[in-house]
Amino acid sequence: MRHMPEGDTVWLAAQRMNQALTGQELTRGELRVPQLATLDLTGQTVSEVISRGKHMLFRFADDHTLRSHFRMDGSWRIHASGQPWRGGPAFAVRAVLSTQRWDCVGYRLHDLAYVPTANEGSLVGHLGPDVLGPEWDLEQAVARLSRDGDAEIGVALLDQRNLAGIGTLYRTEGLFLAGIRPQRRVADLEAGVLSALVDRIRRLMIGNRDHPEQSTTGSTRRGETHWIFERDPRPCRRCGTRIKRGEQGPPPNQRVTYWCPTCQP
Ligand SMILES: [Zn+2]
């Protein structure tokens, strides 16, 4: 089953794009979306590529920034110059950023935007502390989570305005490991419990960010990488209770969630 990429996936993709592009002059720079189709980035020098939550930011030496977002289905592929592109059909290509050595091809990208770097805040300023960012602030993340005490914790963790980068996988597995049912109200969890939960999720993401595999159990064996995520209706790997699956969040933004009725009372 596909699910929306998590912050660690975007972080790793940004690292790879940063290695391929930073300091390089673009020999080709096309954006194949109507609102940016006339923008030609050829000749621009890339100064860095970073992730901010689940957004990717390409900063250019002329103080402009290109933002892309994967949402459910996007990807950036890096091909050696002259080699065939393998990320999907040509009609799915949304961006081509080439150097003498590499063709970086963006497939099914969303939310492409190009702004002066000084105005990046208009694109990502609403985000809470970035779980994998250099300026991570646990206290602020917990404070933001606590603002909406009536929210269910499983919903609040996915709200990128509270903290940026968590998706359904780490939300689900983090709550399992902390023994907290996703439907519990934020206000019913003490600050220390919230803080430990967020810190645990961040450690899971850091443990996985350098490679594409996402294990929350320490095992990389097929079928053993997660505790409960996408494992219903099988028994909980810890206690044997049948794993439950449900939806959380206001329509139309319901997201699937999983829990163990015994381990998460
Ligand atoms: Zn259990």
Side-chain angles (χ1 to χ4, degrees), residues 176 228 235-243 259-264:
F176 172 81
I228 58 171
C236 170
R237 299 180 58 203
R238 187 178 274 166
C239 76
T241 306
R242 181 178 284 215
I243 295 166
W259 69 95
C260 169
T262 304
C263 294
Q264 294 164 269

Side-chain angles (χ1 to χ4, degrees), residues 29-100:
E30 297 169 21
L31 301 171
R32 299 185 186 170
V33 294
Q35 70 274 22
L36 295 173
T38 58
L39 179 69
D40 184 358
L41 296 172
T42 306
Q44 293 273 14
T45 299
V46 178
S47 42
E48 64 179 334
V49 185
I50 62 164
S51 60
R52 182 79 179 82
K54 300 188 197 176
H55 301 248
M56 203 184 294
L57 302 176
F58 299 75
R59 292 179 176 151
F60 295 96
D62 74 342
D63 293 325
H64 279 74
T65 297
L66 174 70
R67 183 272 304 273
S68 71
H69 197 293
F70 289 150
R71 295 203 177 273
M72 293 298 279
D73 53 351
S75 65
W76 277 102
R77 297 295 193 95
I78 303 176
H79 308 94
S81 188
Q83 296 300 305
W85 298 351
R86 300 186 182 283
F91 66 76
V93 173
R94 298 287 176 271
V96 182
L97 302 178
S98 297
T99 66
Q100 294 213 315

Side-chain angles (χ1 to χ4, degrees), residues 169 173 208 213-229 231 237:
L169 166 64
E173 298 285 282
N208 285 313
E213 302 78 24
Q214 293 171 311
S215 172
T216 53
T217 58
S219 171
T220 51
R221 276 208 170 121
R222 198 183 165 83
E224 295 183 6
T225 52
H226 304 145
W227 290 104
I228 58 171
F229 184 73
R231 291 182 61 83
R237 299 180 58 203

